[in-house]
């Protein structure tokens, strides 16, 4: 059973915004039709949806890995254990998939676009700052803008509003994440080779990438007024989920709407 999981930020996200858009509306972007399926209007709603999608993704990845291993194993005992585990995971996957359908009308074999309308850069609050309810620079902490996550307290102090603005912000974050992944991979290569020439080449590339990461991070902090050496997390506050339609589906929906007028 093939799974796609193509929930992504649209490359043409700014074209998704339209005044007075309602659930069930269809728009054509880049020659493709999209149905506005859901709106998430709080950080909690966005977090819950994205967390649930990640759970489904992980299930799909593990199921795929077990299937691949079953194709290569010849040990009957190991094969039986893998088949039992596979059935368990597939059963759990189906239950979770039914929950996603009920909660979000979300199917794992369809394509979606998740467009961010508003996000927050949330900075970490230290224990000393929390106890005095003031930041290190003496400015007051608004308790209504604080929240706890994984045992840490964060402050929603910086908001980014607008589809285009969030698209630009996501590009910056995406660039840093990609380079961080490249950096981690180079570190693994450096640790596994004893060839001096390769070590020198890898070290040069690693140095260049880490410099680029620092420069991008510094530029981002300056642009969005995030203090240097301050830990932060990104929180999506408002977003819209679009379902990509086939031409036939779009035509059928439009006909149904026209018949009700």
């Amino acid at each position: 059973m093939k799974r796609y999981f193509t929930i992504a930020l649209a490359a043409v996200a700014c074209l998704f915004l339209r005044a007075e858009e309602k659930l069930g509306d269809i728009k054509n972007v880049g020659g493709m039709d999209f149905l506005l399926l859901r709106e998430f209007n709080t950080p909690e709603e966005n977090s819950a949806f994205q967390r649930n999608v990640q759970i489904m993704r992980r299930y799909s990845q593990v199921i795929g890995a077990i299937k691949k291993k079953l194709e290569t194993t010849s040990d009957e005992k190991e094969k039986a254990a893998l088949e039992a585990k596979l059935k368990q995971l597939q059963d759990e996957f189906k239950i979770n998939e039914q929950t996603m359908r009920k909660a979000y009308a979300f199917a794992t074999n369809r394509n979606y676009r998740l467009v961010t309308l508003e996000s927050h850069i949330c900075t970490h609050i230290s224990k000393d700052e929390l106890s005095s309810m003031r930041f290190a620079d003496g400015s007051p902490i608004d308790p209504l803008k604080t929240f706890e996550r994984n045992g840490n307290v964060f402050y929603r102090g910086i908001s980014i509003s607008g589809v285009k603005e969030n698209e630009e912000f996501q590009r910056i974050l995406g660039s840093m994440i990609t380079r961080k992944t490249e950096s981690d991979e180079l570190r693994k290569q450096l640790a596994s080779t004893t060839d001096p020439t390769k070590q020198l080449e890898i070290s040069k590339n690693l140095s260049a990438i880490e410099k680029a990461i620092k420069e991008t991070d510094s530029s981002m902090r300056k642009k969005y007024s995030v203090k240097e050496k301050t830990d932060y997390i990104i929180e999506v506050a408002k977003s819209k989920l679009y379902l990509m339609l086939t031409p036939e589906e779009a035509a059928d929906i439009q006909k149904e709407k026209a018949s009700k007028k």
Side-chain angles (χ1 to χ4, degrees):
M1 182 166 54
K2 192 172 183 180
R3 304 290 175 184
Y4 293 93
F5 287 109
T6 54
I7 300 180
L9 287 169
V12 285
C14 58
L15 299 180
F16 273 81
L17 191 60
R18 188 174 75 192
E20 299 179 1
E21 187 178 33
K22 304 184 300 296
L23 294 178
D25 281 356
I26 296 175
K27 62 174 59 179
N28 187 279
V29 180
M32 295 180 290
D33 291 307
F34 292 87
L35 173 72
L36 178 55
L37 194 64
R38 286 287 185 277
E39 292 181 339
F40 303 110
N41 294 309
T42 68
E44 291 75 21
E45 288 179 358
N46 278 279
S47 179
F49 173 69
Q50 294 182 18
R51 182 171 59 251
N52 290 333
V53 169
Q54 287 301 321
I55 289 171
M56 298 299 287
R57 275 206 181 102
R58 285 196 292 271
Y59 266 97
S60 186
Q61 289 168 354
V62 175
I63 287 171
I66 292 177
K67 284 182 176 179
K68 186 174 288 187
K69 195 167 184 179
L70 275 169
E71 292 174 358
T72 59
T73 186
S74 57
D75 185 284
E76 290 301 322
K77 188 175 181 180
E78 182 183 13
K79 191 173 182 179
L82 288 171
E83 287 175 343
K85 185 65 176 177
L86 178 61
K87 185 181 184 309
Q88 175 195 334
L89 292 173
Q90 287 177 327
D91 289 344
E92 291 174 0
F93 187 96
K94 287 178 182 178
I95 292 171
N96 289 333
E97 188 173 35
Q98 289 170 3
T99 301
M100 292 291 283
R101 284 181 184 274
K102 289 179 182 178
Y104 307 112
F106 178 89
T108 57
N109 61 345
R110 298 301 301 267
N111 298 329
Y112 298 86
R113 287 290 183 267
L114 186 64
V115 178
T116 301
L117 307 179
E118 181 179 330
S119 60
H120 300 147
I121 302 176
C122 308
T123 53
H124 179 254
I125 300 177
S126 70
K127 290 181 179 179
D128 289 341
E129 290 174 324
L130 190 61
S131 63
S132 65
M133 290 305 289
R134 288 189 175 277
F135 290 108
D137 62 5
S139 58
I141 293 175
D142 182 350
L144 296 179
K145 292 184 178 182
T146 65
F147 67 98
E148 187 175 344
R149 182 171 298 175
N150 299 325
N152 294 302
V153 179
F154 292 90
Y155 187 77
R156 296 182 179 114
I158 303 164
S159 294
I160 301 170
S161 298
V163 176
K164 187 176 180 180
E165 291 77 7
N166 275 281
E167 183 185 36
E168 180 184 355
F169 181 54
Q170 290 293 334
R171 278 200 298 268
I172 295 171
L173 291 179
S175 173
M176 286 197 290
I177 291 170
T178 298
R179 285 170 173 166
K180 180 65 168 60
T181 301
E182 293 172 353
S183 173
D184 292 342
E185 181 58 34
L186 286 175
R187 287 186 180 280
K188 290 178 183 177
Q189 292 178 20
L190 188 61
S192 64
T193 183
T194 57
D195 186 318
T197 303
K198 287 185 178 180
Q199 286 178 337
L200 181 61
E201 181 182 354
I202 293 171
S203 294
K204 286 182 179 179
N205 291 335
L206 182 60
S207 178
I209 288 175
E210 290 183 339
K211 181 181 178 182
I213 293 173
K214 287 181 180 179
E215 289 175 349
T216 303
D217 180 65
S218 179
S219 176
M220 186 279 293
R221 287 176 182 272
K222 184 176 181 180
K223 180 178 177 64
Y224 297 104
S225 302
V226 182
K227 296 177 183 178
E228 294 290 338
K229 299 181 180 179
T230 300
D231 293 333
Y232 63 89
I233 61 173
I234 308 305
E235 179 183 68
V236 177
K238 295 181 181 180
S239 66
K240 292 185 177 183
L241 180 66
Y242 295 84
L243 169 66
M244 186 186 296
L245 301 173
T246 65
E248 294 76 19
E249 286 174 326
D252 288 343
I253 292 172
Q254 297 289 20
K255 284 180 183 177
E256 184 179 351
K257 284 186 175 183
S259 68
K260 293 180 179 179
K261 288 183 179 179

